[in-house]
Amino acid sequence: MLPSTSPANAAVPWEERLRWFREFRQSLVRLRHAVRALLLDERERILLDRRSSIDDPSYTIWATPGGGLEPGESHEHALRRELVEEVGLHEFDFGPEVWWREHFFPMPSGHGGQREHFHVVRVESFEASGTPDVDVVERRWWTATELAASEERFAPRRLPELLAALLRDGPPEEPLDVGV
């Protein structure tokens, strides 16, 4: 059922109406669940992959490592599997989920988008040795200052300000919806 946009619903709190619309959207689109690592080293740098678009290789975006959850797989198990595969990281402490986001795009799997869960993973600096996805064209460690000064595209879009707040304030009590 489509949530009503009637002026009578003005009495319904915005957060409740937003929940209705999100539930409606999810009823139309099958989302893939994924987990991502905010890999932070001892110098508080973050490891990011520069990915190119399959449709347009000149379009690139910097994103955190991670990937989709297999059926029945926990966030921790999926992230451990993904970090071994993608960056060769075998040992790490699984940290809290601090952010989440949903973005909608057609996927080869038939999903209409992805819901990503971001976990903090504190590590000693290392040289990545895994097998990155085919769309990864570069990988590097970034400081919060470098992110803030960059003209590059990031996922999530607000990554520079989100990371600065995380490093300054620590993890939020509940994971934050960080938008696209």
Side-chain angles (χ1 to χ4, degrees), residues 61-126:
I61 192 163
W62 289 91
T64 59
L69 276 72
E70 300 293 336
E73 194 173 40
S74 69
H75 288 195
E76 182 173 0
H77 188 267
L79 196 56
R80 288 189 183 284
R81 176 180 49 76
E82 289 289 339
L83 291 181
V84 167
E85 292 171 6
E86 293 187 7
V87 299
L89 185 62
H90 292 268
E91 298 294 324
F92 61 88
D93 291 329
F94 180 73
E97 180 180 352
V98 294
W99 307 334
W100 65 273
R101 76 180 189 136
E102 290 179 351
H103 55 117
F104 298 90
F105 59 99
M107 298 178 74
S109 63
H111 293 94
Q114 186 160 275
R115 179 170 183 156
E116 297 175 336
H117 306 267
F118 293 81
H119 289 265
V120 172
V121 175
R122 295 272 183 186
V123 296
E124 294 292 320
S125 182
F126 66 97

Side-chain angles (χ1 to χ4, degrees), residues 14-119:
W14 168 248
E15 288 300 320
E16 180 65 12
R17 287 186 286 150
L18 185 60
R19 187 181 63 76
W20 292 346
F21 280 101
R22 283 186 173 143
E23 286 179 9
F24 176 67
R25 179 180 62 199
Q26 285 183 343
S27 74
L28 299 175
V29 177
R30 192 168 65 106
L31 293 178
R32 178 177 103 150
H33 284 261
V35 63
R36 301 229 162 256
L38 299 172
L39 283 167
L40 300 173
D41 74 3
E42 68 279 0
R43 293 169 38 200
E44 301 213 317
R45 298 179 306 166
I46 186 170
L47 184 67
L48 298 176
D49 293 332
R50 186 168 147 235
R51 297 175 176 269
S52 65
S53 168
I54 293 169
D55 298 330
D56 178 5
S58 68
Y59 180 88
T60 62
I61 192 163
W62 289 91
T64 59
L69 276 72
E70 300 293 336
E73 194 173 40
S74 69
H75 288 195
E76 182 173 0
H77 188 267
L79 196 56
R80 288 189 183 284
R81 176 180 49 76
E82 289 289 339
L83 291 181
V84 167
E85 292 171 6
E86 293 187 7
V87 299
L89 185 62
H90 292 268
E91 298 294 324
F92 61 88
D93 291 329
F94 180 73
E97 180 180 352
V98 294
W99 307 334
W100 65 273
R101 76 180 189 136
E102 290 179 351
H103 55 117
F104 298 90
F105 59 99
M107 298 178 74
S109 63
H111 293 94
Q114 186 160 275
R115 179 170 183 156
E116 297 175 336
H117 306 267
F118 293 81
H119 289 265

Side-chain angles (χ1 to χ4, degrees), residues 151-176:
E151 296 293 322
E152 297 281 348
R153 286 187 279 288
F154 298 101
R157 287 183 185 146
R158 297 174 32 233
L159 181 63
E161 73 181 77
L162 292 165
L163 181 62
L166 179 66
L167 295 174
R168 181 186 62 241
D169 305 331
E173 288 186 29
E174 295 290 324
L176 301 174

